[in-house]
Amino acid sequence: MPRPTKQAPPPLRVDTVRVVLAGTALWVVALVVLLVLGDRVDRMWTWTCVAGIALAGVGLGVMRLQGQIGRHD
């Protein structure tokens, strides 16, 4: 006898722009900390933060092209 199937839960409503901006803010904080530390840290970490910020900008641009920014459901 087959088991009854459960219905899938409804999709979560997430403000993805806010999530991306929060992540970008964390990258900016990390970058500031690394710049304050100066030569005591490897420059690879500084460039990692810069890349994270840049990729977030690209992501926001893609989201804008897809119409996710400014849309109110």
Side-chain angles (χ1 to χ4, degrees):
M1 180 169 179
R3 292 183 171 179
T5 58
K6 295 182 181 178
Q7 288 185 342
L12 294 175
R13 296 175 63 93
V14 178
D15 185 2
T16 54
V17 174
R18 189 174 294 178
V19 172
V20 172
L21 291 176
T24 306
L26 292 175
W27 281 117
V28 170
V29 168
L31 178 62
V32 169
V33 169
L34 290 171
L35 291 175
V36 168
L37 290 175
D39 290 335
R40 291 179 272 182
V41 294
D42 188 5
R43 287 288 155 204
M44 177 192 67
W45 297 112
T46 303
W47 287 109
T48 300
C49 292
V50 170
I53 295 166
L55 287 173
V58 170
L60 287 170
V62 169
M63 292 167 69
R64 183 178 181 137
L65 286 173
Q66 291 177 343
Q68 292 182 15
I69 295 179
R71 182 178 71 189
H72 299 286
D73 291 332

